[in-house]
Amino acid sequence: MEIMKKQYLWALALCGLGHAVSAQDVARYVDPFIGTGAVAQSLSGNNYPGATVPFGMVQLSPDTREAPDWGQASGYDYNDKTIFGFSHTRLSGTGASDFIDILMLPMNENRKESRFTHEKEDAVPGYYRVLLQDDSINAELTATQRVGVHRYTYYNKEKASKVFLDLDHSANKGSWGRRVINAQIRQVGPSAIEGYRIITGWGKLRKIYFYAEFSQPIVASKMMNDNRTHQNIAVVNGTNLKAVFDFGRQDVVECKLAISPVSIENARLNLRTEADGKSFDAIKSQAYEAWNKELGKMQVESGEHEKEIFYTALYHTMIQPNVMSDANGEYMAADYSVRRLPVGQVHYSTFSLWDTFRAAHPLYTMLEPERSTDFVNSMIRQYDYYGYLPIWQLWGQDNYCMIGNHAVPVVVDAILKGLPGIDVDKAYEAVKMSLTTPHLNSPFEVWDQYGYMPEDLQTQSVSITLEQSFDDWCAAQLAKHLNKAKDYEFFMKRSAYYRNLHHPETKFFQPKNSKGEWILPFDPYKYGANGGYPFTEGNGWQYYWYVPQNIPDLIELTGGEDAFCKRLDEFFTSDETSGAKNDNASGFVGLYAHGNEPSHHVAYLYAMAGQPAKTQQLVEHIKRTLYNTSSSGYAGNDDCGEMSAWYVFSALGFYPVNPASGEYVIGSPTVDHAEVMLPGGKKFTIVVKRKGGAGAAYVKSVKLNGHKLDGYVLKHADIMKGGTLEFEMVARPKGKVLNLR
């Protein structure tokens, strides 16, 4: 069955449940299977197809691996044939796996997995269904923010209906020192269980509490701790806990399982608040409409294929960051104490900031300004206990993965865009201390002494120098905004430290040692990973372009606009293959690697150097060739929606090259028409007039509210006022373009 036909049938099914699908049913264009599994010579996105609501704490989805790892970070791989159960938390699109908490599997026999086929598997936003073949059980999943809801239909009438619960199931225990520290399962009523587990791994010392109610009474139970099995006992404690609950011969067993990072009592409250008295179908319908509400903030018209990619991308940007406070406002603070928020606020976690600061967070400031305020305030709460803003935060704890401190541009951008509800003085304190207090990968005493990161004192030195310079520029803009002249001068000086690693002869950013000597030999094609080399998940070519705060200066360092564009030409057309590529390098256009974030802004640089036709050509080429509607729909890890955010912006016709500048660079729109719903009832409309048919990808002119746009820049402030952006597109470029393979 075609994906779109399948989604249409599910929309009809929702109507048949007595729920009127909204007039603007854009959720029907989402295919949750996009990006869930690689085909030959590809990456996939590391996405998952299961049930969640926008930014929800629960992500209830099948695990097709017994111990998901790097290649199946979300727990699901479209190429697999076995389901081990349905766990309630996971990461979307990341390059490393974690969460994968509280697994349940319906069964008749005492089994721990089941075969399945895609022919008997479906998903729409907020709902997932699969037939477990081995026991002939139809499993359906839906969710609220903090509650996972299961409905199991048992077709074998001759055997008992059972549910297997596994608190030991997790991402691979061989990664990040992962281990379960303690756990408990307790039966607390004829049809209710509760418990918790404390696990450490990529996310450190995570506490996950749960409370679950079944629709049928438990007639027998078996609880296991390692190799010991206990029949019909009330509670079991340990580090390797599993249980089987027998409901007798039932046609249907439903389960509502609420989670909390704070306590079992809060998990029970979450269930009562969000799911008590509601049927499975009502919750399913509610989840679908929650997605329609969020996705409906952008109404686009384009080809059906393009709409499917667009709305699935927008969907993926809204899976995280995740709610991390309970219904009563309590949350687990970074020091493991329990705190309570003021009424109306929400605490969030899952901040993949090295990725998402580039485009996802600028997208949130446009579509989700109130939520963006909560994001920023959540980051500042980490500063209260850690002493610095998040680097990569999971379940309220920082795993310090990746380089720089890219919470800084997120915080600065939110304040400069005027988002209300942020304590600006506290935010500035957090920004300043995060960029001046030495900590892992950020030895600022070295930074201040040398004016760059020497490779013999700090590995990944070139990448850190470039990215830290940008963070310092962001801090300088906030200092200027607050009339802190001395701090402004201090951070602006540091924001130019990238110049100290620019080699005047090779015109590359190259590593130096602490004696000020160039480290030779230098190979701009050789890749680094995450330590032991001057470049992070990339090479000298890919990092050459990372001066988003001052592209005019980078153009000057390169030798002027002509030299800059010639170097860009080489970057996008080179077939050089020397040096083993980093695993994150994928989605190539020449040396450009769209599958990882350091390259994401580079196609837009031509427009800033006087050759916009090449930007338009490349942006259209990347959208057309590196995104699709299959399970391998992304050219690399989606990284908590960052790959998706690039597509959303680029399909609208602009992109935030400097994500904290409040400006966007014009590219080439995919949409024919779009309406962006803004706060206060305002609307920003994009109108695209094409001469030469659907393939007309080159911009002849751009008008904002009837006036010709000056240059290549669209300002965020102009978008938020509402109005109309009008593109006139033609099939032939003005100026030369590249000979792309």
Side-chain angles (χ1 to χ4, degrees), residues 112-378:
K112 295 182 180 179
E113 74 260 3
S114 176
R115 292 171 296 137
F116 78 107
T117 68
H118 298 305
E119 288 72 24
K120 299 291 185 180
E121 183 187 35
D122 301 293
V124 295
Y127 174 77
Y128 172 87
R129 180 189 71 86
V130 67
L131 180 68
L132 301 173
Q133 292 179 297
D134 290 346
D135 282 342
S136 190
I137 299 171
N138 189 56
E140 299 174 90
L141 311 174
T142 189
T144 69
Q145 279 197 337
R146 303 171 181 88
V147 184
V149 187
H150 309 240
R151 180 164 64 188
Y152 303 141
T153 302
Y154 298 80
Y155 295 125
N156 189 331
K157 309 300 183 185
E158 304 301 319
K159 296 182 179 179
S161 304
K162 300 178 181 179
V163 172
F164 172 61
L165 173 68
D166 190 348
L167 294 195
D168 185 56
H169 177 78
S170 71
N172 185 2
K173 301 252 185 356
S175 296
W176 309 103
R178 185 173 289 107
R179 63 189 178 93
V180 177
I181 296 172
N182 197 19
Q184 181 185 91
I185 302 170
R186 182 189 296 269
Q187 185 174 346
V188 292
S191 57
I193 62 172
E194 63 186 28
Y196 65 87
R197 82 167 177 183
I198 302 171
I199 184 171
T200 194
W202 196 28
K204 305 304 179 189
L205 197 62
R206 294 187 304 109
K207 300 178 181 180
I208 308 97
Y209 301 88
F210 72 92
Y211 172 78
E213 291 181 351
F214 296 98
S215 61
Q216 304 291 343
I218 300 166
V219 300
S221 68
K222 179 169 61 175
M223 296 194 188
M224 294 152 278
N225 181 11
D226 292 323
N227 297 321
R228 299 185 65 182
T229 300
H230 309 274
Q231 301 288 342
N232 300 318
I233 63 170
V235 62
V236 63
N237 297 280
T239 58
N240 182 8
L241 301 189
K242 300 173 177 64
V244 176
F245 299 102
D246 186 334
F247 300 93
R249 295 179 184 178
Q250 301 289 343
D251 293 335
V252 176
V253 175
E254 296 184 5
C255 177
K256 297 174 180 176
L257 191 149
I259 63 173
S260 164
V262 172
S263 68
I264 291 172
E265 291 74 20
N266 276 13
R268 188 181 296 111
L269 175 66
N270 291 341
L271 191 149
R272 297 280 179 262
T273 302
E274 297 181 1
D276 205 24
K278 296 180 180 179
S279 70
F280 181 95
D281 290 331
I283 293 171
K284 169 187 172 184
S285 179
Q286 177 182 296
Y288 189 81
E289 275 308 292
W291 278 112
N292 249 336
K293 179 181 177 181
E294 293 301 321
L295 297 170
K297 292 176 179 178
M298 286 194 179
Q299 301 283 340
V300 306
E301 293 298 330
S302 64
E304 295 295 288
H305 176 81
E306 288 76 20
K307 271 204 257 190
E308 191 175 343
I309 295 174
F310 180 90
Y311 278 111
T312 302
L314 188 57
Y315 165 82
H316 282 143
T317 68
M318 294 176 170
I319 290 176
Q320 64 290 298
N322 302 122
V323 169
M324 202 47 55
S325 52
D326 290 322
N328 62 1
E330 289 185 343
Y331 67 99
M332 185 69 70
D335 65 349
Y336 297 101
S337 63
V338 174
R339 307 280 170 159
R340 186 185 289 260
L341 296 169
V343 174
Q345 294 189 25
V346 180
H347 187 67
Y348 288 87
S349 190
T350 312
F351 292 118
S352 180
L353 289 159
W354 186 79
D355 309 293
T356 56
F357 86 95
R358 302 166 197 268
H361 278 281
L363 185 64
Y364 300 144
T365 62
M366 183 187 301
L367 295 182
E368 307 279 350
E370 292 182 1
R371 209 180 300 265
S372 292
T373 293
D374 281 335
F375 294 163
V376 168
N377 287 333
S378 298

Side-chain angles (χ1 to χ4, degrees), residues 692-711:
Y698 295 97
V699 177
K700 181 179 180 181
S701 67
V702 186
K703 294 180 180 179
L704 177 64
N705 298 326
H707 301 284
K708 186 176 180 181
L709 197 66
D710 185 20

Side-chain angles (χ1 to χ4, degrees), residues 484-502:
K484 297 180 181 293
K486 185 175 181 181
D487 285 357
Y488 172 74
E489 293 174 2
F490 171 77
F491 283 117
M492 279 301 290
K493 177 183 177 181
R494 297 205 318 185
S495 77
Y497 281 177
Y498 64 88
R499 295 179 64 96
N500 296 331
L501 292 186
H502 190 268

Side-chain angles (χ1 to χ4, degrees), residues 411-420 422-428 431 472-489 491-492 660-661:
V411 172
V412 170
D413 186 47
I415 294 172
L416 296 185
K417 286 176 178 173
L419 299 193
I422 301 170
D423 183 335
V424 176
D425 291 333
K426 180 66 175 291
Y428 181 71
V431 165
D472 281 334
W473 180 87
C474 294
Q477 306 318 300
L478 185 54
K480 181 179 181 181
H481 177 73
L482 298 176
N483 297 314
K484 297 180 181 293
K486 185 175 181 181
D487 285 357
Y488 172 74
E489 293 174 2
F491 283 117
M492 279 301 290
S661 67

Side-chain angles (χ1 to χ4, degrees), residues 536-558:
T536 303
E537 294 188 7
N539 62 20
W541 266 107
Q542 287 151 10
Y543 261 96
Y544 182 74
W545 317 102
Y546 198 76
V547 189
Q549 72 274 23
N550 201 344
I551 297 300
D553 189 49
L554 181 61
I555 291 172
E556 181 182 334
L557 285 172
T558 313

